[in-house]
């Protein structure tokens, strides 16, 4: 039997409680700014009212992200500590609030009131600028993903850029500048070594990371995150993790079988006409599964998580680049680190795990069955039509996204609790001699295999 | 380690501040059109922006050479002021090209003057970036359909990356052998 | 995007100008700082600032793809490597001597000023064939151009990058190549012993032997 089943139950309750608070709050704020104020101003026939409406709609994504980031980081820190305690059969923080519920709130308050020290000989300006440069990209990088994870909701269409995922990747490569800057400005050897390691590591692991994302874009034929998420709709077999849409023909075949169509077998031969296409499908599935692995590895290194947390290896470098930081600046570093983990998981969800798509195929899914949706729709119609509180086309995708993203976050915590740290030369050798060639080979394979089979039919 | 207070005091000396104020006055006069009238009243017609530029340049030279102002501050103020004077009221394309020319000239100056080899490389990167800005501005204002300027900018990006990699590798190899990156002391081939 | 258009109509035609001057006023002093900052590592960070503001200018010019490429390749990739090189070649983090003599400085200043003035006169005397058409979507256009009209230069660029990669590795690991050559004579008869620079590795392998 599981020894700490009670702890697991407590952890689950705590997680769901926090998640409800986080997303309820974000939801309320974006509803207030994006829907309620425009609804109130809808009857005012004045220029300023129109302008305020427009500004509100532009600001909605930003406000949503700004509200989301601090609370989410608080939850993630708590979840990480509790989950690590679970893996090592300890209790974890359980004193503040009901069962440790408010532990990180107390931590955050403590950090805010701590003295903010600038070490002697430090470059004061850059020392202050570094946390800002580290943190700002995580706000701006998250914006285009908002459109993808909410099923292109009206409120968030503003942030859907044509360069989509490229924007996210470019912006999320910026934080390393903040690390190097902070490490150098601290006037401390440990910080400097941590910063140098971080720079080398980020530049090396960015190549496999970007190559894996580019391969997915190659299969999808677009950089637009919303389009990539939409392509994967319709169940597990359509997701990019399983062949990048190569199995969607199989999905169609199963659907026809379930509907009892007679010409189902014909369909199969239509989508997979020869052995070449079958082999290509198998190759694509192998490639995409590997791609997910490469992406997660590269992302772990990019955001300095264990097993790639060489820049802040506490057994060697005290605390790495943030050794000299304290008070609110350290809090900002901390915040940004956990936000980056969240963003990386969101990218993985959108690119590989189908975004807001239910894993059950449509022909199995009771939620798309009209017999189920009709009464529920009636019940919700007051909220949806009158005050626009719930948008059913967004609500369920958002819940799936939340589940998938936090599953990935939990996976990252699991990895942290399991794997030992790399040594720096092993790290570089692994990046350049294994991951880069592997991702290049996969890129070439996918280029050829993609021609032999129809993707996302 | 480094006494920054003293440096800051030097950087914002009285000469630099007064030069900045004068430059600001010239810019404001120019932007409001008064400068043109003044020039016309003393029978200098045609190129008021060039006259203002020459005035700023002359004052800047005076401030550095005779009034012993901090050269970097004076140079920065003079560059920004003359940039304003030369671009206010121009076509957007000309503005971008002027900015690119300013950055290119700064890069050129740095490439000639710097003694640190890495800083020379940085100046070259600056020049390449100025060229990129030029090309993108051309693509936006002259060729918005085919965007050929942007395509060339992509090529320049790759060349710059290659240049930086090889250049820095050479500098590091030299540093390993001679323990210096001072351009004045790379005299291996001199006889 | 229509919201931004409305905002732009409200601030009549001034947003682009304002952003341009803001970014230009950021870029020029930082570019000067790259040359004159005596703490050389800080000048490396200033270079990042210059590239960042040029990236902003690209965004104003509606070249989104290039702006992001600029941010990713220049502002983070190249400049970070430059900063690391600065730290490696200046291990004591000392201040630099004044660059050049006053004589040199004046001469090069005159040259640079003359260069700028020549360029400026040239671009003012030209009558530019301005086009007022809407900018086509840049990702598609650049992609099509690179894979059709400019396919050959694109391939050459990739060969150039490969050559630069190999060349940079060869130059940077010159020392290790020498030790590689020496090692077989020292440990003749040994097989599968990777030559490493790291002390820990050699001790481990020697104990294994």
């Amino acid at each position: 039997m599981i020894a700490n089943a009670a702890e697991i139950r407590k952890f689950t309750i705590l997680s769901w409680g926090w998640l409800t608070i986080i997303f309820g709050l974000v939801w309320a704020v974006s509803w207030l700014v994006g829907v309620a104020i425009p609804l109130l101003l809808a009857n005012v026939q004045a220029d300023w009212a129109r302008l305020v409406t427009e500004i509100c709609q532009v600001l909605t994504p930003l406000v949503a992200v700004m509200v989301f980031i601090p609370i989410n980081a608080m939850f993630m820190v708590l979840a990480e500590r509790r989950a690590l305690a679970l893996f090592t059969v300890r209790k974890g923080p359980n004193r503040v609030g009901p069962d440790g519920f408010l532990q990180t709130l107390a931590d955050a308050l403590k950090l805010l009131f701590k003295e903010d020290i600038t070490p002697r000989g430090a470059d004061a300006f850059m020392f202050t600028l570094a946390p800002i440069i580290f943190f700002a990209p995580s706000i701006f990088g998250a914006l285009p993903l908002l459109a993808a994870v909410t099923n292109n909701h009206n409120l968030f269409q503003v942030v859907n850029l044509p360069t989509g995922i490229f924007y996210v990747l470019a912006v999320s490569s910026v934080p390393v500048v903040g690390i190097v800057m902070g490490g150098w400005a601290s006037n401390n050897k440990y910080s400097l070594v941590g910063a140098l390691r971080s720079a080398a590591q980020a530049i090396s692991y960015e190549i496999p990371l970007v190559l894996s994302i580019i391969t997915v874009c190659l299969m999808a034929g677009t950089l637009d995150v919303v389009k990539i998420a939409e392509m994967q709709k319709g169940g597990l077999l359509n997701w990019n993790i399983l062949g990048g849409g190569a199995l969607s023909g199989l999905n169609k075949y199963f659907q026809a079988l379930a509907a009892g169509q007679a010409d189902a077998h014909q369909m199969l031969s239509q989508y997979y006409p020869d052995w070449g296409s079958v082999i290509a499908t198998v190759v694509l599935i192998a490639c995409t599964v590997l791609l997910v692995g490469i992406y997660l590895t590269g992302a772990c290194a990019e955001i300095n998580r264990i097993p790639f947390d060489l820049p802040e290896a506490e057994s060697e470098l005290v605390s790495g680049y943030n050794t000299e930081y304290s008070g609110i600046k350290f809090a900002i570093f901390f915040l940004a680190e956990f936000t980056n983990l969240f963003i990386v998981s969101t990218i993985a969800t959108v690119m590989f795990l189908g975004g807001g798509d239910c894993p059950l195929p449509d022909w199995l899914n009771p939620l798309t069955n009209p017999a189920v949706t009709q009464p529920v729709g009636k019940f919700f119609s007051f909220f949806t039509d009158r005050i626009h509180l719930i948008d059913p086309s967004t609500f369920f995708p958002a819940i799936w996204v939340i589940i998938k993203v936090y599953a990935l976050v939990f996976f990252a915590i699991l990895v942290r609790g399991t794997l030992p740290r790399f040594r720096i030369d092993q790290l570089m050798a692994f990046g350049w001699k294994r991951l880069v060639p592997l991702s290049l080979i996969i890129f070439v394979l996918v280029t050829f295999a993609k021609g032999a089979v129809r993707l996302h039919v | 380690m480094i006494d920054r207070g003293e440096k800051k005091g030097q950087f914002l000396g009285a000469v630099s501040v007064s030069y900045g104020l004068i430059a600001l006055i010239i810019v404001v006069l120019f932007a409001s059109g008064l400068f043109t009238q003044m020039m016309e009243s003393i029978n200098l017609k045609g190129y008021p922006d060039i006259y203002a530029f020459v005035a700023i340049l002359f004052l800047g030279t005076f401030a550095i050479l005779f009034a012993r102002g901090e050269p970097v501050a004076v140079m920065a103020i003079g560059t920004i002021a003359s940039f304003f004077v030369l671009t206010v009221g121009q076509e957007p394309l000309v503005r971008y090209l002027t900015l690119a020319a300013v950055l290119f000239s700064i890069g050129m100056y740095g490439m000639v003057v710097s003694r640190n080899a890495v800083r020379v490389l940085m100046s070259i990167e600056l020049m390449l970036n100025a060229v990129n800005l030029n090309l993108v501005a051309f693509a936006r204002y002259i060729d918005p359909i085919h965007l050929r300027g942007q395509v060339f900018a992509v090529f320049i990006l790759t060349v710059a990356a290659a240049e930086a990699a090889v250049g820095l590798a050479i500098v590091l190899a030299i540093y390993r052998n001679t323990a210096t990156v001072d351009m004045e002391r790379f005299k291996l081939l001199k006889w | 995007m229509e919201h931004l258009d409305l905002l732009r109509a409200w601030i009549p035609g001034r947003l682009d100008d304002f952003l341009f001057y803001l970014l230009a006023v950021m870029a020029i002093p930082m570019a000067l700082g790259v040359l004159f900052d005596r703490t050389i590592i800080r000048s490396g960070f200033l270079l990042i600032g210059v590239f960042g503001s040029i990236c902003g200018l690209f965004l104003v010019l509606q070249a989104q793809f290039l702006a992001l490429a600029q941010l990713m390749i220049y502002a983070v990739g190249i400049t970070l490597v430059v900063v690391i090189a600065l730290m490696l070649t200046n291990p004591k983090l000392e201040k630099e001597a004044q660059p050049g003599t006053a004589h040199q400085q004046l001469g090069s200043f005159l040259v640079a000023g003359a260069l700028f003035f020549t360029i400026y006169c040239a671009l003012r005397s030209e009558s530019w064939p301005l086009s007022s058409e809407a900018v086509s979507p840049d990702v598609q256009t650049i992609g099509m151009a690179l894979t059709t009209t400019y396919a050959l230069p694109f391939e050459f660029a990739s060969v150039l990058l490969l050559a630069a990669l190999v060349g940079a590795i060869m130059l940077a690991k010159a020392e290790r190549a020498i030790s590689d050559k020496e090692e077989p004579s020292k440990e003749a008869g040994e097989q599968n012993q990777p030559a490493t620079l790291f002390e820990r590795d050699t001790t481990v392998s020697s104990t294994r032997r």
Side-chain angles (χ1 to χ4, degrees):
Chain A
M1 275 309 292
I2 306 168
N4 50 355
E7 285 298 312
I8 292 176
R9 201 179 61 241
K10 277 181 196 166
F11 174 72
T12 318
I13 293 169
L14 179 138
S15 304
W16 284 111
W18 263 102
L19 284 178
T20 318
I21 292 174
I22 293 172
F23 288 97
L25 207 57
V26 172
W27 192 4
V29 165
S30 37
W31 178 78
L32 199 69
V33 180
V35 179
I37 296 178
L39 267 184
L40 280 178
L41 291 175
N43 295 325
V44 184
Q45 298 291 333
D47 274 353
W48 66 265
R50 213 156 58 96
L51 192 74
V52 168
T53 312
E54 300 285 344
I55 288 176
C56 274
Q57 284 180 355
V58 174
L59 280 185
T60 312
L62 206 60
V63 170
V65 170
M66 296 286 259
V67 171
F68 174 71
I69 284 176
I71 335 172
N72 174 53
M74 268 194 241
F75 163 62
M76 276 163 78
V77 174
L78 184 61
E80 174 147 18
R81 292 176 66 182
R82 290 296 290 254
L84 283 178
L86 278 186
F87 302 147
T88 45
V89 201
R90 290 180 285 119
K91 293 241 183 224
N94 59 359
R95 293 288 154 192
V96 189
D99 197 31
F101 198 79
L102 300 173
Q103 175 68 43
T104 40
L105 197 66
D107 285 350
L109 279 178
K110 184 204 79 174
L111 274 178
L112 289 185
F113 288 117
K114 230 173 161 181
E115 189 188 355
D116 184 15
I117 301 165
T118 304
R120 189 169 52 186
D123 190 325
F125 178 66
M126 291 213 171
F127 192 73
T128 316
L129 194 63
I132 299 170
I133 289 186
F134 191 67
F135 180 55
S138 51
I139 297 176
F140 292 110
L143 286 177
L145 293 172
L146 262 180
V149 297
T150 55
N151 202 6
N152 210 9
H153 192 276
N154 289 331
L155 290 181
F156 302 122
Q157 269 171 0
V158 189
V159 293
N160 186 21
L161 302 169
T163 41
I165 192 68
F166 187 52
Y167 171 87
V168 178
L169 287 177
V171 172
S172 59
S173 71
V174 172
V176 65
V177 174
I179 292 182
V180 176
M181 197 180 265
W184 175 71
S186 302
N187 193 23
N188 177 328
K189 277 179 189 142
Y190 296 116
S191 303
L192 187 59
V193 172
L196 281 177
R197 281 181 176 188
S198 163
Q201 175 180 324
I203 291 176
S204 315
Y205 277 76
E206 192 149 319
I207 298 166
L209 180 83
V210 172
L211 272 173
S212 66
I213 294 290
I214 281 179
T215 314
V216 176
C217 293
L218 180 81
M219 285 192 279
T222 177
L223 289 175
D224 193 329
V225 270
V226 172
K227 278 185 196 156
I228 290 175
E230 268 173 10
M231 267 179 199
Q232 305 178 51
K233 266 185 190 158
L236 184 68
L237 293 178
N238 274 348
W239 292 2
N240 276 342
I241 189 173
L242 287 176
L247 286 180
S248 56
L250 199 66
N251 193 26
K252 285 257 168 69
Y253 165 67
F254 282 144
Q255 192 173 4
L257 270 189
Q261 286 177 25
D263 56 345
H265 286 280
Q266 212 177 341
M267 210 172 210
L268 200 61
S269 62
Q270 183 195 340
Y271 288 127
Y272 304 101
D274 48 3
W275 278 105
S277 61
V278 175
I279 293 170
T281 309
V282 174
V283 169
L284 277 177
I285 292 171
C287 284
T288 41
V289 170
L290 275 175
L291 275 182
V292 178
I294 291 173
Y295 174 79
L296 290 179
T297 317
C300 250
E302 186 86 357
I303 59 174
N304 303 325
R305 293 277 308 180
I306 287 178
F308 301 105
D309 71 334
L310 271 298
E312 42 189 313
E314 68 271 357
S315 56
E316 306 158 32
L317 296 176
V318 190
S319 177
Y321 58 87
N322 54 26
T323 303
E324 296 286 351
Y325 281 91
S326 66
I328 185 142
K329 287 174 192 160
F330 178 74
I332 291 176
F333 266 113
F334 214 59
L335 201 66
E337 249 171 54
F338 281 90
T339 312
N340 284 344
L341 174 59
F342 181 81
I343 290 177
V344 157
S345 312
T346 317
I347 297 174
T349 306
V350 171
M351 299 302 285
F352 295 105
L353 300 183
D357 186 40
C358 173
L360 285 177
D362 285 342
W363 41 273
L364 271 177
N365 192 349
L367 287 179
T368 53
N369 194 343
V372 181
T373 48
Q374 285 292 339
V376 179
K378 258 177 205 160
F379 175 70
F380 278 127
S381 69
F382 172 74
F383 297 107
T384 53
D385 298 342
R386 300 289 294 282
I387 53 174
H388 304 277
L389 196 59
I390 295 174
D391 190 346
S393 71
T394 309
F395 183 71
F396 296 108
I399 286 183
W400 278 116
V401 166
I402 292 167
I403 291 172
K404 286 173 191 172
V405 169
Y406 283 98
L408 281 173
V409 169
F410 187 78
F411 175 71
I413 297 171
L414 183 63
V415 167
R416 175 176 175 166
T418 314
L419 292 184
R421 185 178 296 132
F422 272 69
R423 213 171 57 216
I424 184 75
D425 59 316
Q426 292 170 333
L427 176 97
M428 299 309 272
F430 181 66
W432 285 102
K433 292 183 186 163
R434 305 279 188 281
L435 283 187
V436 174
L438 183 65
S439 52
L440 277 171
I441 290 168
I442 288 177
F443 184 77
V444 175
L445 275 181
V446 165
T447 317
F448 285 109
K450 163 180 179 280
V453 65
R454 288 164 62 192
L455 302 176
H456 290 300
V457 282
Chain B
M1 187 170 108
I2 302 161
D3 196 354
R4 289 210 169 75
E6 193 193 0
K7 198 186 164 202
K8 202 175 274 176
Q10 258 183 12
F11 189 76
L12 290 177
V15 178
S16 320
V17 170
S18 45
Y19 177 63
L21 285 178
I22 294 173
L24 186 68
I25 291 170
I26 293 180
V27 168
V28 169
L29 281 179
F30 185 82
S32 60
L34 284 173
F35 190 82
T36 319
Q37 287 176 16
M38 279 161 60
M39 284 293 124
E40 278 170 357
S41 67
I42 54 169
N43 270 334
L44 279 173
K45 287 177 187 169
Y47 302 103
D49 46 353
I50 303 285
Y51 300 138
F53 172 61
V54 169
I56 290 170
L57 203 66
F58 180 76
L59 284 173
T61 321
F62 179 80
I64 293 178
L65 291 185
F66 299 104
R68 296 181 171 276
E70 169 67 22
V72 180
V74 171
M75 214 182 266
I77 294 165
T79 319
I80 293 174
S82 37
F83 173 72
F84 265 109
V85 165
L86 291 177
T87 55
V88 167
Q90 300 285 344
E91 299 261 1
L93 176 63
V94 174
R95 275 187 213 151
Y96 281 99
L97 296 188
T98 312
L99 177 62
V102 169
L103 290 179
F104 191 84
S105 306
I106 292 174
M108 171 93 185
Y109 178 68
M111 195 183 77
V112 177
V113 167
S114 299
R115 290 174 64 178
N116 188 321
V118 185
R119 197 172 267 179
V120 172
L121 280 176
M122 279 154 65
S123 308
I124 293 173
E125 297 290 342
L126 203 60
M127 287 161 76
L128 285 171
N129 242 281
V131 174
N132 255 353
L133 185 58
N134 247 346
L135 288 172
V136 176
F138 280 137
R140 165 77 175 80
Y141 290 108
I142 292 184
D143 185 24
I145 302 295
H146 300 293
L147 296 176
R148 274 166 292 206
Q150 293 195 17
V151 178
F152 278 100
V154 171
F155 285 122
I156 289 186
L157 224 62
T158 55
V159 170
E163 178 254 323
V166 176
L168 289 172
I170 290 174
V171 170
L172 284 183
I174 290 177
Y175 178 76
R176 203 177 286 145
N177 289 328
T178 63
T180 177
V181 283
D182 193 341
M183 295 296 270
E184 305 278 312
R185 288 162 71 186
F186 292 162
K187 291 177 182 167
L188 297 176
L189 293 180
K190 215 175 186 180
W191 54 283
Chain C
M1 283 298 114
E2 57 191 302
H3 314 298
L4 281 184
D5 285 345
L6 200 99
L7 209 68
R8 216 173 276 163
W10 187 64
I11 311 166
R14 291 285 172 206
L15 193 60
D16 278 5
D17 295 359
F18 174 73
L19 284 176
F20 169 75
Y21 278 111
L22 183 74
L23 291 165
V25 168
M26 275 165 67
I28 292 173
M30 282 197 280
L32 284 169
V34 170
L35 306 188
F36 294 110
D37 204 315
R38 302 269 291 280
T39 319
I40 188 159
I41 291 169
R42 193 159 47 185
S43 74
F45 286 118
L46 285 173
L47 192 65
I48 297 181
V50 177
F51 290 159
S53 41
I54 289 180
C55 157
L57 285 171
F58 285 179
L59 279 182
V60 178
L61 285 168
Q62 301 180 23
Q64 217 178 76
F65 175 78
L66 257 160
L68 297 175
Q70 166 95 8
L71 189 69
M72 208 167 172
I73 297 171
Y74 264 117
V76 179
I78 293 180
T79 324
L80 220 52
V81 175
V82 168
V83 169
I84 293 174
L86 286 174
M87 288 173 179
L88 287 177
T89 56
N90 188 7
K92 286 174 193 160
L93 303 178
E94 62 212 356
K95 279 213 243 172
E96 273 220 322
Q98 190 69 27
T101 60
H103 199 62
Q104 262 181 335
Q105 278 191 18
L106 188 66
S108 17
F109 181 75
L110 287 179
V111 169
L115 177 76
F116 169 71
F117 202 67
T118 317
I119 297 175
Y120 183 71
C121 291
L123 62 92
R124 275 300 296 280
S125 57
E126 186 80 28
S127 63
W128 298 103
L130 293 181
S131 159
S132 56
E133 278 155 292
V135 180
S136 45
D138 57 338
V139 182
Q140 286 93 327
T141 315
I142 292 177
M144 285 309 288
L146 281 181
T147 44
T148 54
T149 320
Y150 301 98
L152 195 63
F154 191 55
E155 292 300 319
F156 278 131
S158 68
V159 173
L160 173 77
L161 275 179
L162 181 67
L165 190 71
V166 175
I169 292 173
M170 281 311 292
L171 280 170
K173 68 174 264 185
E175 242 172 42
R176 197 189 288 199
I178 294 166
S179 67
D180 270 358
K181 270 177 210 158
E182 284 171 1
E183 221 139 28
S185 60
K186 239 190 284 175
E187 322 175 339
E190 287 291 336
Q191 283 177 352
N192 301 329
Q193 287 297 333
T196 46
L197 276 180
F198 294 90
E199 202 60 42
R200 204 187 293 171
D201 266 14
T202 39
T203 51
V204 167
S205 53
S206 60
T207 48
R208 209 181 289 146
R209 262 177 261 148

